[in-house]
Amino acid sequence: MTIRLNGKKRELEEPMTVSGLLSADGYRPELIAVEVNLAIIPKKDYGSTLLAEGDVVEIVSFMGGG
Amino acid sequence: MDQKKDTFSLGGHEFTSRFILGSGKYSLDLIRACVENAGAQIVTMALRRANEGGLANILDYIPENVTLLPNTSGARNADEAIRIAHLSREISGSSFIKIEIMRDTKYLLPDNYETVRAVDVLAKEGFVVMPYMYPDLNSARDMRDAGAACIMPLGAPIGTNKGLATKEFIKILIREIDLPVIVDAGIGRPSQACEAMEMGAAAVMANTAVATAGNIQMMAEAFKKSIEAGRLAYLSGLGRVREDRADASSPLTGFLRDDEREE
Amino acid sequence: MSEKNHVNESILSESILEDQKENRIDHMKYLPGMEQIKSDVMDQVVAAMNGYDYTKYTGKDVRRALAAEDRTPEDFAALLSPAALPYLEEMAQAAKIETRKHFGNSVSMFTPLYIANYCENYCIYCGFNCHNKIHRAQLCEKEIEEEMAAIAKSGLQEILILTGESRQRSTVQYIGEACRIARKYFRVIGVEVYPMNSDEYAYLHECGADYVTVFQETYNSDKYETLHLAGHKRIFPYRINAQERALMGGMRGVGFAALLGLDDFRKDAFATGMHAYLLQRKYPRAEIAFSCPRLRPIINNDRINPMDVHERQLLQVVCAYRLFMPFASITVSTRECPRVRDNLVRIAVTKISAGSKTGVGSHSEEIADEDKGDEQFLISDSRDVDEVYRDLQKLGLQPVMSDYIYV
């Protein structure tokens, strides 16, 4: 399936959970927030949230800023 | 004076440091020393799309006991700011949020109208809302009424280091708004931070002035000291110089009579 | 005179002393029909007044207050303290600078029109009180129109409509009609009538009134209780919240005053200033006005005097109001003589009445001849509009009939 991750197209094998995606890309869950189709996914739900064709996923973290 | 007792409060949280430090434009390895030298208890940061794994993250460099203050930079309207606030809370685990809404890329001036809207929504959701704003009394009142925890008027356009260009208007806000007034943006030198504190600002926020200094840890300390000096001066009551002298040759009170029964 | 306890004995008589012993209703409890608004302004004013210890201020505090760019409640407190009296000339000079900064040389002129003097209250110092045997009267609509036409001929464009405080006799509708008539002849209409509910203020506003003045008389509720023995006015909190209800009803401006000489005038003046200050902060659009009345003799008691509020103290209060709220309008009435009034307008006063009569009607010749109702107090400046106008000009001031345009 194809999703959109942080503005870019991404091919994923099915089935894929949020947790799976995070560990595949090496994200540290405590440092990020995940939004799927504009809805924030609570950290406890990462393992049970399945991604689907066409999902728009944003993974964000903090950086320096004033 | 017992410095420990001179605190200010944001959303029910007490702070003794009146220096809020921005974390932008540093190399990460300098941030910890900078926060420590600044004595900062609140550090701001921004939210961006995450780097893929393995890269350094700013949270690894911020001391544990510091309150994280995410901002909504990048938001062009209230809805975007609200979305950023929600995402930020997921990471920071706290409800502090600095609202920054700009739709002007040249001067980066805040949009007060959209900011009031964002304050209204986020305060109702329980955020400790700290709006960055253009120092306008009417907007400040609206933000207060909408539930802001403080107001953060700009001294000068962001990053310009021009100091208290809006001094007279910030004075009005300090006088009229019963919330902490935190001067944000434009503060270029410790002396300007000191002046803001002498005027009665509750705190000063600075970033560029520190981040672009020759020795940034030393500059962080210079700001810390100037802010403390300004605060002490404010608390001690500034001596004042009179501008107008009474003109003894034309007294205004000569008409008074001690015995004033019917005439 | 027992100035220590601030009991003004000139007000008292045998019969009043007897009446004060009677059981009276609870002056802090609202009566049926009185609107209760959610507001903590009264509590804040009373707390500020109770915390005001004017003996603790020194010349240093006064000098700092004088030199301050923007004066705080603490500065105001210092300026009202006895320590400020030696600085009265400096205060007057500073007040004059503030006045000219905000008002230029202009001084507004107006006249009061008493359309009735029926009163249901027993306020022991007031000539209109319901136990004082005086002639009572009320103008009908036709007479109101005649009076107003006569006043308008003098060139005045602002009028203050007054009644005694009788809701029965002078109903809200009656006062509203007077405002409607006034709109035909005047640009600015104020009312100084009994306190009412916010919807009633909204109604008067709709009828043309823009300003509401309510004198609190004294902000010391214990003293208040011994002075206002009966009637609606006895209910202290309902009166103190009148200005806020007027603003809720859409009025443009509100006026404040303590009647100086009833109680400790420093505390009362401080409370008056704080009352205005807090309401202006809560309703930033509100225009603020102060009056500075001192007690005057009334019919059937010519001994009444303002106790320890001599001219110096009066000037101190007026200057303190001006220095604390430089943008506020300050009115001086004909309770003061021409010498005092002319000097106060040079310093801090920005509104002055002219051609004042405190009896009912008495502006148009027909009604004056009928000898309608008696006066509320005895005036000490009987100059007519032309005389006041010329005297202001002689002082280098500019009389202004109205600087207001209805939109």
Side-chain angles (χ1 to χ4, degrees):
Chain A
M1 66 175 166
T2 308
I3 64 161
R4 222 173 159 78
L5 172 60
N6 282 359
K8 288 179 195 154
K9 271 190 185 164
R10 175 74 181 271
E11 290 297 329
L12 293 178
E13 288 173 23
E14 286 181 79
M16 175 69 82
T17 61
V18 169
S19 274
L21 173 62
L22 295 180
S23 56
D25 285 357
Y27 287 108
R28 289 156 63 192
E30 72 276 16
L31 298 179
I32 55 158
V34 178
E35 196 188 67
V36 177
N37 302 329
L38 294 178
I40 293 174
I41 309 298
K43 289 191 198 300
K44 64 175 169 51
D45 296 342
Y46 287 173
S48 58
T49 304
L50 279 169
L51 295 170
E53 175 68 29
D55 277 351
V56 178
V57 180
E58 292 285 340
I59 302 176
V60 294
S61 68
F62 286 143
M63 60 170 287
Chain B
M1 193 199 76
D2 185 355
Q3 279 273 354
K4 284 208 175 84
K5 280 191 184 145
D6 179 34
T7 62
F8 77 109
S9 169
L10 294 168
H13 302 262
E14 299 290 320
F15 296 94
T16 50
S17 163
R18 293 172 182 272
F19 183 16
I20 299 177
L21 188 67
S23 64
K25 306 175 194 172
Y26 299 87
S27 64
L28 288 177
D29 54 330
L30 289 176
I31 284 188
R32 179 178 292 268
C34 211
V35 171
E36 281 166 3
N37 283 13
Q41 293 172 315
I42 302 175
V43 173
T44 66
M45 51 203 50
L47 191 77
R48 292 291 182 272
R49 279 174 172 162
N51 296 315
E52 289 180 25
L55 293 173
N57 185 286
I58 189 167
L59 290 184
D60 295 327
Y61 296 85
I62 306 280
E64 278 290 311
N65 50 359
V66 165
T67 297
L68 303 180
L69 176 56
N71 67 34
T72 64
S73 63
R76 288 157 297 176
N77 57 45
D79 294 337
E80 290 180 2
I82 292 162
R83 182 181 170 203
I84 295 171
H86 290 157
L87 285 165
S88 295
R89 182 168 58 181
E90 281 298 302
I91 310 176
S92 71
S94 93
S95 47
F96 282 80
I97 189 76
K98 175 183 164 189
I99 309 289
E100 245 182 83
I101 300 175
M102 290 118 168
R103 43 179 185 174
D104 171 288
T105 57
K106 186 174 179 186
Y107 300 103
L108 298 172
L109 292 176
D111 182 324
N112 281 357
Y113 174 76
E114 289 292 319
T115 302
V116 171
R117 284 186 52 213
V119 171
D120 190 38
V121 171
L122 291 170
K124 286 199 180 90
E125 294 180 4
F127 279 88
V128 177
V129 189
M130 302 173 61
Y132 169 59
M133 50 103 59
Y134 196 86
D136 168 68
L137 178 58
N138 296 303
S139 314
R141 284 181 174 135
D142 291 344
M143 290 174 200
R144 174 197 62 197
D145 296 345
C150 68
I151 50 166
M152 304 183 75
L154 60 88
I158 287 185
T160 60
N161 284 359
K162 287 192 174 175
L164 290 169
T166 57
K167 186 161 118 185
E168 293 304 319
F169 303 99
I170 290 179
K171 278 189 192 170
I172 289 171
L173 299 185
I174 290 171
R175 220 178 296 140
E176 300 298 329
I177 304 292
D178 292 326
L179 287 177
V181 174
I182 300 173
V183 177
D184 184 4
I187 299 294
R189 306 157 186 264
S191 57
Q192 294 160 349
C194 186
E195 186 177 9
M197 295 305 294
E198 285 172 1
M199 281 158 42
V204 166
M205 144 111 209
N207 186 346
T208 311
V210 177
T212 60
N215 178 329
I216 71 173
Q217 297 103 306
M218 207 185 281
M219 187 57 93
E221 187 178 349
F223 264 95
K224 171 181 190 273
K225 288 180 169 165
S226 72
I227 286 166
E228 286 170 0
R231 177 67 186 170
L232 280 176
Y234 171 73
L235 291 176
S236 66
L238 289 174
R240 292 183 170 98
V241 181
R242 278 208 60 181
E243 289 166 31
D244 311 297
R245 290 195 55 81
D247 181 0
S249 65
S250 58
L252 289 170
T253 51
F255 74 96
L256 295 170
R257 289 192 193 162
D258 291 331
D259 178 18
E260 47 168 307
R261 292 283 83 91
E262 291 305 305
E263 37 193 291
Chain C
M1 212 176 287
S2 10
E3 293 188 7
K4 225 175 212 163
N5 304 321
H6 303 282
V7 172
N8 189 331
E9 288 171 359
S10 71
I11 301 169
L12 303 173
S13 66
E14 292 283 321
S15 66
I16 287 172
L17 287 170
E18 279 307 306
D19 291 342
Q20 283 184 335
K21 288 177 197 156
E22 301 279 314
N23 276 334
R24 302 184 293 270
I25 59 166
D26 183 349
H27 62 293
M28 299 304 281
K29 216 175 130 197
Y30 282 75
L31 297 175
M34 289 182 169
E35 179 187 13
Q36 294 200 45
I37 56 170
K38 276 198 186 120
S39 172
D40 59 357
V41 169
M42 177 177 85
D43 290 343
Q44 287 189 65
V45 170
V46 170
M49 178 183 71
N50 290 341
Y52 178 38
D53 174 10
Y54 50 73
T55 60
K56 76 171 188 185
Y57 295 92
T58 64
K60 196 177 148 203
D61 300 316
V62 176
R63 285 194 300 274
R64 181 155 63 210
L66 276 171
E69 187 186 348
D70 296 289
R71 296 179 184 90
T72 61
E74 198 52 20
D75 291 325
F76 180 51
L79 293 170
L80 280 173
S81 73
L85 270 178
Y87 295 90
L88 201 50
E89 179 63 29
E90 283 90 335
M91 281 178 71
Q93 297 284 354
K96 182 180 174 181
I97 288 166
E98 293 293 349
T99 307
R100 297 295 158 249
K101 211 162 33 178
H102 289 266
F103 293 84
N105 285 325
S106 66
V107 176
S108 304
M109 289 177 64
F110 76 102
T111 206
L113 172 62
Y114 285 76
I115 57 175
N117 66 359
Y118 287 98
C119 194
E120 291 158 5
N121 297 315
Y122 183 14
C123 314
I124 59 174
Y125 54 84
C126 178
F128 282 176
N129 91 63
C130 62
H131 293 291
N132 203 23
K133 300 212 169 14
I134 59 168
H135 290 105
R136 304 284 173 171
Q138 180 175 45
L139 301 182
C140 67
E141 285 178 24
K142 179 172 157 285
E143 291 167 325
I144 290 173
E145 180 125 19
E146 282 168 16
E147 283 285 306
M148 289 185 178
I151 292 167
K153 259 187 212 156
S154 70
L156 289 176
Q157 294 176 6
E158 173 170 350
I159 194 160
L160 177 64
I161 297 172
L162 300 96
T163 61
E165 299 198 3
S166 171
R167 269 187 85 95
Q168 299 293 327
R169 291 281 190 159
S170 307
T171 62
V172 174
Q173 284 65 33
Y174 169 72
I175 298 168
E177 278 316 304
C179 293
R180 284 192 203 282
I181 298 167
R183 280 291 281 120
K184 295 199 269 182
Y185 295 96
F186 302 98
R187 293 226 181 125
V188 185
I189 299 159
V191 289
E192 192 174 329
V193 298
Y194 50 83
M196 48 184 74
N197 293 346
S198 58
D199 60 332
E200 294 166 330
Y201 282 124
Y203 172 73
L204 291 190
H205 183 54
E206 200 185 293
C207 294
D210 254 344
Y211 296 87
V212 168
T213 297
V214 180
F215 290 3
Q216 185 61 29
E217 321 297 10
T218 175
Y219 284 82
N220 175 355
S221 58
D222 291 341
K223 176 55 73 68
Y224 187 92
E225 184 274 323
T226 67
L227 299 168
H228 307 94
L229 303 182
H232 273 69
K233 185 168 174 180
R234 182 167 167 75
I235 309 306
F236 180 85
Y238 188 66
R239 192 169 188 88
I240 209 170
N241 285 320
Q243 284 92 345
E244 186 161 0
R245 293 194 303 274
L247 291 170
M248 290 164 68
M251 289 289 176
R252 180 173 287 263
V254 281
F256 302 82
L259 183 49
L260 303 172
L262 283 180
D263 193 43
D264 184 340
F265 78 92
R266 296 185 195 284
K267 288 206 158 204
D268 269 337
F270 184 66
T272 307
M274 288 307 296
H275 191 187
Y277 171 81
L278 290 166
L279 276 186
Q280 197 276 332
R281 278 178 91 86
K282 191 164 175 185
Y283 301 87
R285 65 179 165 81
E287 293 182 10
I288 301 294
F290 289 108
S291 300
C292 43
R294 292 195 294 171
L295 270 175
R296 292 281 306 155
I298 59 174
I299 292 178
N300 300 330
N301 184 352
D302 59 5
R303 291 177 300 117
I304 293 187
N305 65 68
M307 198 160 54
D308 54 348
V309 190
H310 308 291
E311 289 182 5
R312 297 179 68 77
Q313 285 77 13
L314 173 67
L315 178 61
Q316 182 186 8
V317 168
V318 171
C319 289
Y321 286 159
R322 169 61 64 226
L323 293 169
F324 183 43
M325 298 185 85
F327 51 89
S329 162
I330 301 181
T331 304
V332 62
S333 74
T334 53
R335 288 169 183 270
E336 301 299 333
C337 66
R339 170 180 55 81
V340 170
R341 298 178 93 209
D342 284 355
N343 278 285
L344 290 179
V345 291
R346 291 174 64 203
I347 298 167
V349 161
T350 51
K351 194 180 246 189
I352 189 165
S353 53
S356 294
K357 315 272 196 287
T358 65
V360 177
S362 44
H363 288 274
S364 75
E365 277 174 29
E366 300 87 73
I367 295 174
D369 289 348
E370 284 174 32
D371 189 21
K372 283 279 217 178
D374 281 338
E375 295 88 355
Q376 183 180 27
F377 57 87
L378 306 179
I379 66 173
S380 36
D381 181 354
S382 57
R383 288 178 293 175
D384 66 18
V385 174
D386 283 344
E387 286 171 289
V388 171
Y389 193 98
R390 278 196 304 271
D391 288 348
L392 286 174
Q393 285 183 319
K394 273 186 220 154
L395 294 168
L397 298 168
Q398 184 189 356
V400 172
M401 296 308 189
S402 158
D403 56 4
Y404 187 83
I405 296 169
Y406 274 96
V407 286

